[in-house]
Amino acid sequence: MTTASLIQPYNTGPMKCKICGKEAIVKLRSYNLALCREHYIEFVKRRVEKGIKKFKMVRKDERILVAVSGGKDSIVLWHVLNELGYDTTGYFLNLGIEGFSDESQEVAQKFADMFGLTLKVEYLRDVLGVGIPELSKISRGKPCSLCGMIKRYLINRAGLEFDAVATGHNLDDESSVLFGNILHWQTEYLERQYPVLPRDRTLARKIKPLILLTNYEIKLYAEVLNLPHIVDKCPFSGGATTHFYKGILETIENEMPGTKVRFLLGFFENKAGFKVPQTRHLKPCKKCGYLTTAEVCSFCRLKEKVENQFNLR
Ligand code: SF4
Ligand code: ZN
Ligand code: ZN
C-alpha cells in the first residue's frame, strides 16, 4: 500500500535549508526551520538524543530491547537508536491476527536483516494457546484493552533480561494521553506518565525515546530513508478516544505551532506540583510472581479464563 509523499511542495518557490542553503524538503513550523534531506535526518537523530539525555533514559553501555510492531514508529525508533550507537535487540510479539500479524512480522524481520540486527519473536498462540481474534470473543467487543495488557506483560517479561525496554510512543501519542488524563483527572495515570519509568524488581525500565517527535516528523523520516514499515492498520483498530484527542490537539497546533511539545514538556516540568497521591501498592502476583496491584495479575487471570473457556488444560 502506498501513501502520498509527505515532502512538502512549496508553491512560493524553492525554500532553502537553514543550515546548508540547499533545497529544503520540509519546513517545521514549530521550530520555524526549513531543512534539506540530510539535515532533516540529522534533526530527527538529535531530537531522539536530546530526549534520551534530558530524561536520563539510557546509556550507551546499556542493552535495550526495542518493542517492534512493524509500524513506522517502532521501525524509526529502532533505526535511530542503532544509528546513534545504542546496543539494541528487537522484540516482536505475533498476536495471531490473520494476515496482519504475519505481514507485520515479515516487515520487522526485513528491517532487522537489512541492518544486521537481532529480532526476538514470541507467538501469543504459544503463550496463551489462542490469538487476539479468539480473545475478542471473551472481551465481547474490541480486544484492545486485553491486547494492551498482554503486550505490556509480555514485553516487560522479555525486557527483564535487558537494561531498558524502548517503545515507539511519540509526541502525539503522549500529549493526547495527557490531554485525556487531565480532562478526566485520572490522577493515577498522571502519576505514571513520564518518558522513563525506572526498574522496580520484576518491572523492567521503560523508556520512550521518540517523545520529542511528532507523528508527521517520524513518518517523514521513514519516507526519506525508505525504511520498510507496515502501513495497514490492525483490523481491530479505529474509533479510539485518543484519535479524537489527537485531532483536537492538531487543530490547536495548526493555529499555534509548538503547543503540543510545550504542553507535554510543561507537564513533566511541573509534575511535582501536582502532588498526585501514591495509589499503587505493588506486590508479587500469587501465580507468576510479577508485580501487580491485585492478588493475581490480569495476565494470569486471563490465562485461566482462556484455559477454561477453550478447554486448553
Ligand atoms: Fe491490539 Fe489491534 Fe487493538 Fe492495537 S488495534 S491494541 S494491535 S487489537
Ligand atoms: Zn541542509
Ligand atoms: Zn501473574
Side-chain angles (χ1 to χ4, degrees), residues 156-208:
N156 177 71
R157 192 169 81 176
L160 286 168
E161 286 172 35
F162 292 78
D163 296 298
V165 174
T167 54
H169 297 91
N170 64 36
L171 176 60
D172 292 84
D173 300 325
E174 292 301 300
S175 56
S176 61
V177 166
L178 174 62
F179 188 52
N181 286 343
I182 290 181
L183 274 185
H184 303 288
W185 288 115
Q186 286 174 311
T187 52
E188 189 185 334
Y189 294 137
L190 284 172
E191 177 193 337
R192 286 186 52 75
Q193 192 172 0
Y194 203 66
V196 54
L197 295 173
R199 173 136 187 176
D200 179 4
R201 294 158 285 168
T202 59
L203 293 176
R205 187 195 320 163
K206 312 284 173 1
I207 61 171
K208 296 174 180 171

Side-chain angles (χ1 to χ4, degrees), residues 24-292:
I25 59 154
V26 65
K27 171 148 192 211
L28 301 167
R29 285 179 68 218
S30 0
Y31 309 94
N32 195 22
L33 187 63
L35 293 171
C36 68
R37 180 183 183 277
E38 182 197 336
H39 285 114
Y40 180 69
I41 294 169
E42 265 319 297
F43 163 84
V44 170
K45 289 188 202 161
R46 270 190 283 114
R47 290 299 280 171
V48 173
E49 187 95 86
K50 186 176 173 179
I52 292 176
K53 296 243 158 77
K54 185 174 174 64
F55 296 101
K56 299 187 177 64
M57 293 185 195
V58 69
R59 296 190 314 262
K60 291 256 163 84
D61 61 345
E62 293 184 308
R63 293 172 66 233
I64 308 174
L65 186 72
V66 184
V68 185
S69 68
K72 59 144 189 16
D73 297 297
S74 55
I75 289 288
V76 166
L77 169 67
W78 201 6
H79 186 266
V80 176
L81 288 177
N82 185 46
E83 287 281 302
L84 291 173
Y86 286 95
D87 180 347
T88 59
T89 299
Y91 171 83
F92 179 86
L93 175 62
N94 187 311
L95 298 166
I97 301 170
E98 212 192 329
F100 177 73
S101 292
D102 292 341
E103 211 183 307
S104 306
Q105 185 179 332
E106 269 169 37
V107 169
Q109 191 60 61
K110 183 176 172 191
F111 175 85
D113 294 345
M114 270 170 79
F115 293 94
L117 295 161
T118 305
L119 181 72
K120 288 178 157 230
V121 177
E122 192 161 30
Y123 292 83
L124 186 58
R125 285 191 198 284
D126 289 345
V127 183
L128 272 186
V130 291
I132 292 295
E134 292 91 326
L135 291 179
S136 68
K137 290 176 192 133
I138 291 188
S139 62
R140 290 196 209 92
K142 275 188 185 284
C144 296
S145 56
L146 275 185
C147 180
M149 179 274 287
I150 290 167
K151 283 192 276 196
R152 281 192 297 277
Y153 184 91
L154 293 176
I155 291 171
N156 177 71
R157 192 169 81 176
L160 286 168
E161 286 172 35
F162 292 78
D163 296 298
V165 174
T167 54
H169 297 91
N170 64 36
L171 176 60
D172 292 84
D173 300 325
E174 292 301 300
S175 56
S176 61
V177 166
L178 174 62
F179 188 52
N181 286 343
I182 290 181
L183 274 185
H184 303 288
W185 288 115
Q186 286 174 311
T187 52
E188 189 185 334
Y189 294 137
L190 284 172
E191 177 193 337
R192 286 186 52 75
Q193 192 172 0
Y194 203 66
V196 54
L197 295 173
R199 173 136 187 176
D200 179 4
R201 294 158 285 168
T202 59
L203 293 176
R205 187 195 320 163
K206 312 284 173 1
I207 61 171
K208 296 174 180 171
L210 299 185
I211 194 92
L212 299 179
L213 288 166
T214 64
N215 214 12
Y216 171 79
E217 289 158 1
I218 292 165
K219 262 194 210 160
L220 181 59
Y221 183 86
E223 182 187 320
V224 297
L225 283 167
N226 210 8
L227 298 178
H229 63 281
I230 186 144
V231 181
D232 294 337
K233 294 251 178 284
C234 166
F236 294 105
S237 75
T241 332
T242 50
H243 292 167
F244 175 63
Y245 294 150
K246 275 183 188 170
I248 295 174
L249 287 176
E250 206 49 50
T251 308
I252 303 175
E253 179 79 18
N254 285 336
E255 287 298 315
M256 291 179 277
T259 300
K260 280 187 294 201
V261 76
R262 285 195 297 275
F263 176 52
L264 191 64
L265 291 183
F267 167 69
F268 296 145
E269 276 153 27
N270 295 298
K271 204 167 174 259
F274 273 73
K275 288 209 170 44
V276 175
Q278 295 290 318
T279 45
R280 278 164 47 108
H281 298 289
L282 298 173
K283 54 190 172 205
C285 162
K286 287 219 160 115
K287 298 226 155 167
C288 69
Y290 287 89
L291 290 180
T292 175

